């Protein structure tokens, strides 16, 4: 928001995304907007030639050094809890220490052939802005601030309302702990709440329809027949209701 730029917001959003991914039945998450972190390496062609290396050799070695592999699964904790192993680059010092090869029996590090290594924001791939209408209503020019959006998708067959509530609860838990307390967090779309509202409205209409049919049958056929209908309709709908969730 006002006190944070797109790069800072993207880093905070990545932390939130990582936490939300741990929620059971979350299928997919994505971060839109902001500037992702990137480490850029400027190579010195003269130094590369001196060590008999090419830019392609450096790229291949960096990709191999930054590989993430799944080490295995453990019985403790949640079922299917996976653990990753790999030398992922955490900062520019990790990058500088990558061994590219040897020269006269001595290791050649990336810092030996790089003129500069920059750890910072990458070019933005998409843009998200946040603005309010209060200023415009008061006759002042509307303000827009950089923002990021986190999307969350559920697994097929699970309850959207439960997943949405769990994700929002996770964000509230992080507020003031791993997230700054002055960070403005808002919900733009909550399809879990939308699904619940539609479900509640449908149930209300079904209840009114059931009562109306029951009264009509009681007037024309009798109370015993209306009682059968009053029991049959909820039982039938109850057995099929999970299919509509």
């Amino acid at each position: 928001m006002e006190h944070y730029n797109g790069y800072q917001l993207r880093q905070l959003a990545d932390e939130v995304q990582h936490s939300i991914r741990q929620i059971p039945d979350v299928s997919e998450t994505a971060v839109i907007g902001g500037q992702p972190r990137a480490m850029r390496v400027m190579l010195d062609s003269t130094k590369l030639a001196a060590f008999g290396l090419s830019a392609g050799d450096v790229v291949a070695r960096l990709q191999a050094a930054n590989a993430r592999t799944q080490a295995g699964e453990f019985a403790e904790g949640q079922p299917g809890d996976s653990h990753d192993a790999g030398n992922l680059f955490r900062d520019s010092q990790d990058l500088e220490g990558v061994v590219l090869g040897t020269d006269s029996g001595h290791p050649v590090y990336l810092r030996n052939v790089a003129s500069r290594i920059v750890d910072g924001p990458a070019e933005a791939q998409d843009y998200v802005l946040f603005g309010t209408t209060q200023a415009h209503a008061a006759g002042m020019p509307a303000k827009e601030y950089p923002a990021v959006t986190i999307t969350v998708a559920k697994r097929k067959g699970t309850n959207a309302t439960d997943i949405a509530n769990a994700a929002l609860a996770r964000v509230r838990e992080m507020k003031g702990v791993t997230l700054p307390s002055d960070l403005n967090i808002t919900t733009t779309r909550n399809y879990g709440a939308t699904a619940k509202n539609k479900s509640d409205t449908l149930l209300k209409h079904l209840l009114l329809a059931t009562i109306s049919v029951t009264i009509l049958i009681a007037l024309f056929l009798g109370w015993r027949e209306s009682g059968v209908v009053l029991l049959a309709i909820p039982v039938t709908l109850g057995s099929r209701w999970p299919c509509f969730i």
Side-chain angles (χ1 to χ4, degrees), residues 185-199:
I185 301 175
T186 185
T187 304
T188 53
R189 288 186 180 90
N190 186 343
Y191 290 115
T194 303
K196 185 177 185 304
N197 291 336
K198 291 182 178 180
S199 175

Side-chain angles (χ1 to χ4, degrees), residues 17-57:
Q17 180 189 34
H18 177 74
S19 180
I20 290 178
R21 280 179 175 174
Q22 312 307 315
I23 299 175
D25 297 327
V26 168
S27 172
E28 183 180 351
T29 61
V31 178
I32 305 172
Q35 295 170 279
R37 180 189 178 197
M39 285 187 279
R40 296 187 293 274
V41 180
M42 287 69 169
L43 298 174
D44 189 317
S45 58
T46 303
K47 294 180 180 179
L48 283 174
F51 289 110
L53 296 171
S54 66
D57 296 331

Side-chain angles (χ1 to χ4, degrees), residues 196-207:
K196 185 177 185 304
N197 291 336
K198 291 182 178 180
S199 175
D200 292 343
T201 301
L202 180 58
L203 284 175
K204 179 181 177 181
H205 291 165
L206 287 174
L207 177 61

Side-chain angles (χ1 to χ4, degrees), residues 108-235:
V108 178
Y109 299 99
L110 180 62
R111 59 176 173 265
N112 299 135
V113 298
S115 59
R116 190 160 61 113
I117 298 178
V118 180
D119 184 358
E123 292 293 330
Q125 300 297 321
D126 36 47
Y127 296 89
V128 177
L129 297 175
F130 180 85
T132 58
T133 58
Q134 285 84 352
H136 184 70
M140 300 174 60
K143 293 185 178 180
E144 292 182 340
Y145 304 99
V148 292
T149 297
I150 302 176
T151 63
V152 182
K154 71 180 186 69
R155 296 186 187 277
K156 183 178 180 181
T158 58
N159 190 295
T161 303
D162 293 341
I163 303 301
N165 291 338
L168 293 174
R170 185 65 60 89
V171 174
R172 288 193 295 268
E173 293 172 359
M174 299 179 66
K175 188 75 175 288
V177 181
T178 56
L179 297 178
S181 56
D182 62 342
L183 187 66
N184 188 358
I185 301 175
T186 185
T187 304
T188 53
R189 288 186 180 90
N190 186 343
Y191 290 115
T194 303
K196 185 177 185 304
N197 291 336
K198 291 182 178 180
S199 175
D200 292 343
T201 301
L202 180 58
L203 284 175
K204 179 181 177 181
H205 291 165
L206 287 174
L207 177 61
L208 293 175
T210 302
I211 294 175
S212 301
V213 171
T214 301
I215 293 175
L216 288 175
I217 293 178
L219 292 176
F220 290 97
L221 298 179
W223 289 106
R224 179 178 297 179
E225 289 77 3
S226 66
V228 173
V229 174
L230 183 63
L231 292 175
I233 294 178
V235 170

